[in-house]
Amino acid sequence: MARPGVTPPPRLVDIARWLWIGSAVVGLGRFLVQLADREMLIGELRKQQPTLSQDELDAAASGGVMFGLLLGGLLVLVYALLANRMAQGRNWARIVLTVFGAAGVFFGVVRLVAVASGLAAAFQLAIRPEDVVFGVITMVLDCVALVLMYLPSVSSHFTAPRHKLQPS
């Protein structure tokens, strides 16, 4: 329900908002899949800290998973906050999302090139197929959201004057 005195965002901006939030949720899903691979986490810890006992490795892995869950949830909240501010017409939020989205697309393309060219395997980087799938999905969502935010038909949404509260 729209609040009095607040104009709803253009439909394309609203779609971009939900694409940003969806991209963050898909990214969280990717992160959860990685965190669920406990054997991989313990293997990485064992490589980095070969002197730790199995109990210490298990505790470190559990702590890492909890920290990862908190960090992932925080990232989704930040993206949702930015997407909502962007939908309200805040140009600074559109710029921050542009930087985040462009960086995500760039690193996603680099990852795809590394996998397709065999460069990742040459450097013994393990990029699993599900990582590539999640990466492609987030890249597509980010690209579409970026385009929608900068269409000429919505530019006035980001330059229109805002209603300011008048002091009483």
Side-chain angles (χ1 to χ4, degrees):
M1 184 169 127
R3 294 185 312 215
V6 176
T7 57
R11 179 164 163 67
L12 296 176
V13 171
D14 198 40
I15 291 170
R17 170 198 357 211
W18 290 109
L19 289 173
W20 285 119
I21 294 170
S23 174
V25 170
V26 170
L28 178 62
R30 173 183 177 193
F31 197 53
L32 292 175
V33 168
Q34 291 171 340
L35 289 177
D37 190 353
R38 191 167 181 84
E39 288 179 28
M40 185 272 304
L41 292 174
I42 290 178
E44 287 297 316
L45 285 168
R46 188 169 279 128
K47 280 186 219 173
Q48 294 173 9
Q49 299 289 327
T51 60
L52 294 180
S53 70
Q54 186 61 43
D55 287 340
E56 292 170 323
L57 288 171
D58 287 336
S62 295
V65 167
M66 285 304 298
F67 180 73
L69 290 173
L70 289 172
L71 188 63
L74 181 64
L75 251 129
V76 170
L77 288 175
V78 166
Y79 264 81
L81 173 73
L82 288 169
N84 285 324
R85 294 295 184 266
M86 179 273 304
Q88 292 169 356
R90 304 296 193 271
N91 197 47
W92 64 266
R94 180 171 71 155
I95 292 168
V96 172
L97 286 169
T98 300
V99 171
F100 286 175
V105 170
F106 173 76
F107 289 117
V109 169
V110 168
R111 183 183 302 117
L112 286 176
V113 168
V115 169
S117 68
L119 199 58
F123 284 101
Q124 298 176 348
L125 297 174
I127 299 178
R128 302 179 314 193
E130 57 267 18
D131 289 339
V132 174
V133 170
F134 277 113
V136 168
I137 293 169
T138 57
M139 279 191 329
V140 168
L141 292 172
D142 290 353
C143 284
V144 174
L146 282 166
V147 168
L148 291 178
M149 288 191 318
Y150 287 96
L151 288 174
S153 64
V154 300
S155 63
S156 65
H157 181 66
F158 297 100
T159 58
R162 307 270 167 262
H163 291 252
K164 302 274 187 205
L165 292 175
Q166 299 297 324
S168 42

